[in-house]
Amino acid sequence: MRYHLAPIFCRPWLLNGLSQRLIESHYENNYGGAFRRLNAITDQLQSLDFDKTPGYVISGLKREELVALNSTLLHELYFASLGGLEGKPTETLAAALARDFGSVERWRDEFIAMANALAGGSGWVLLVYVPRDRRLINQYAADHSQTLAGGIPILALDMYEHAYHIDFGANAKAYVDAFMRNIDWSAVQARYEDASKVEPPRPLVQTEFADVPGVGAEEVKAMLDGGKHVQIVDARPKHYFSRMPDIMDGAVWRDPDRMQDWVVNCRNRNPSSFFVFTDSTSDAELPSRCEKPDSTRCT
């Protein structure tokens, strides 16, 4: 597969405080250079006999492929982040930033502080939407590759020196200010709307426990912190427990093969709540009124 350059996503001659020479050099030399590296690496990988190639060669090429490919993607997002004239987030995006950061000003302060902290160094500052949490977060991306798993970047600021040295020399702070003035907030909102449609990862569903009442670990902790009398039983099979003897504070182990006997004993003590920890491979049947904490169904 051959990768191809995308047209530049902004109009450099319309930017405020970022010269056309800077943007065009960035696009042609750095973005274009990443594509040339990526295609060269791709050619090398396609020519390999993987059965005969040393592991260090394969791992080295795959690491370089990751860096080059992510560099092209992040540069495309960077250019697409530029070109706005409004100077402030759209109403929809402002509401999302206020929801996740407390206020637009708080988001801006953090984003700018992160960028200034990279002055004289290298890396990216990204505004990322995380489908699992349904929220926005600022993050660094070093070496073009360290990004949140599952996160979707919607705004990118390149803090490598090649992004600003032609216009600003070592004055990275002035470059960051110029970038913030030129953000295309309408385009950022469009990417946010697309990202927010992405469903979070599917939750773990264990059909064998579908009819068993459950409770979350945080709810159990709240009961314990509140002084509620809770009896917690670890009912993992004996052969499993003997290999993994660690047990949570306050819990006791009971043999699941004798569950009917010790359940009666526990009920006679009349605890306010009674929770049983088991594992998904156990054949023991839970008696009625026993509850299994959600977070331990796989343990």
Side-chain angles (χ1 to χ4, degrees):
M1 173 181 177
R2 298 290 294 179
Y3 294 90
H4 302 281
L5 272 76
I8 195 166
F9 289 92
C10 63
R11 290 174 287 180
W13 55 92
L14 295 181
L15 299 180
N16 178 15
L18 299 170
S19 72
Q20 182 174 343
R21 176 170 171 254
L22 171 66
I23 300 300
E24 289 179 351
S25 173
H26 195 172
Y27 174 81
E28 294 171 3
N29 297 315
N30 304 106
Y31 171 62
F35 262 105
R36 289 187 288 273
R37 290 195 306 277
L38 179 58
N39 281 321
I41 293 166
T42 301
D43 290 342
Q44 291 183 63
L45 286 169
Q46 290 176 343
S47 69
L48 292 182
D49 182 338
F50 290 106
D51 290 333
K52 299 179 180 178
T53 303
Y56 69 87
V57 174
I58 297 171
S59 62
L61 285 171
K62 293 302 291 185
R63 281 195 299 269
E64 290 303 314
E65 179 189 46
L66 174 64
V67 171
L69 179 55
N70 246 17
S71 179
T72 63
L73 294 168
L74 289 173
H75 274 101
E76 288 173 6
L77 180 58
Y78 170 76
F79 294 122
S81 298
L82 296 170
L85 302 175
E86 57 273 20
K88 61 180 181 180
T90 62
E91 184 176 343
T92 298
L93 204 52
L97 292 170
R99 177 196 67 209
D100 295 335
F101 293 91
S103 68
V104 174
E105 292 71 24
R106 180 70 179 173
W107 166 78
R108 184 185 297 270
D109 289 346
E110 180 181 286
F111 193 87
I112 291 174
M114 290 174 65
N116 288 334
L118 289 179
S122 60
W124 296 81
V125 184
L126 307 177
L127 175 61
V128 175
Y129 179 77
V130 184
R132 189 198 67 177
D133 302 325
R134 297 293 192 189
R135 63 158 297 176
L136 294 164
I137 188 170
N138 290 326
Q139 68 142 109
Y140 282 131
D143 297 328
H144 307 291
S145 58
Q146 296 175 9
T147 56
L148 283 171
I152 304 173
I154 63 172
L155 174 68
L157 169 55
D158 188 346
M159 286 304 298
Y160 285 83
E161 287 190 350
H162 65 242
Y164 59 86
H165 72 95
I166 289 177
D167 284 1
F168 301 96
N171 191 356
K173 184 177 184 300
Y175 160 67
V176 173
D177 291 341
F179 174 87
M180 299 301 291
R181 289 196 303 271
N182 284 278
I183 294 175
D184 186 346
W185 287 111
S186 295
V188 177
Q189 177 180 319
R191 289 190 290 273
Y192 169 71
E193 291 173 349
D194 290 343
S196 63
K197 295 174 185 176
V198 176
E199 292 296 324
R202 293 186 181 184
L204 174 65
V205 176
Q206 293 177 286
T207 56
E208 64 268 35
F209 297 133
D211 58 347
V212 178
V215 62
E218 292 180 350
E219 187 177 347
V220 175
K221 184 177 185 301
M223 293 179 186
L224 294 171
D225 291 345
K228 191 172 183 178
H229 184 199
V230 177
Q231 175 67 66
I232 301 175
V233 176
D234 184 336
R236 291 174 293 174
K238 184 184 297 185
H239 69 276
Y240 186 97
F241 182 76
S242 64
R243 289 183 284 115
M244 300 285 291
D246 291 342
I247 191 169
M248 70 173 287
D249 292 341
V252 295
W253 180 82
R254 294 289 183 266
D255 188 345
D257 293 334
R258 301 183 60 190
M259 185 175 289
Q260 297 294 339
D261 296 335
W262 53 256
V263 164
V264 172
N265 185 42
C266 285
R267 284 176 178 166
N268 290 337
R269 298 180 187 175
N270 196 28
S272 301
S273 298
F274 178 38
F275 302 116
V276 178
F277 289 63
T278 184
D279 87 319
S280 59
T281 63
S282 175
D283 293 329
E285 244 183 70
L286 284 177
S288 60
R289 293 184 59 232
C290 287
E291 295 190 43
K292 184 178 297 184
D294 286 339
S295 62
T296 59
R297 289 179 175 175
C298 296
T299 60

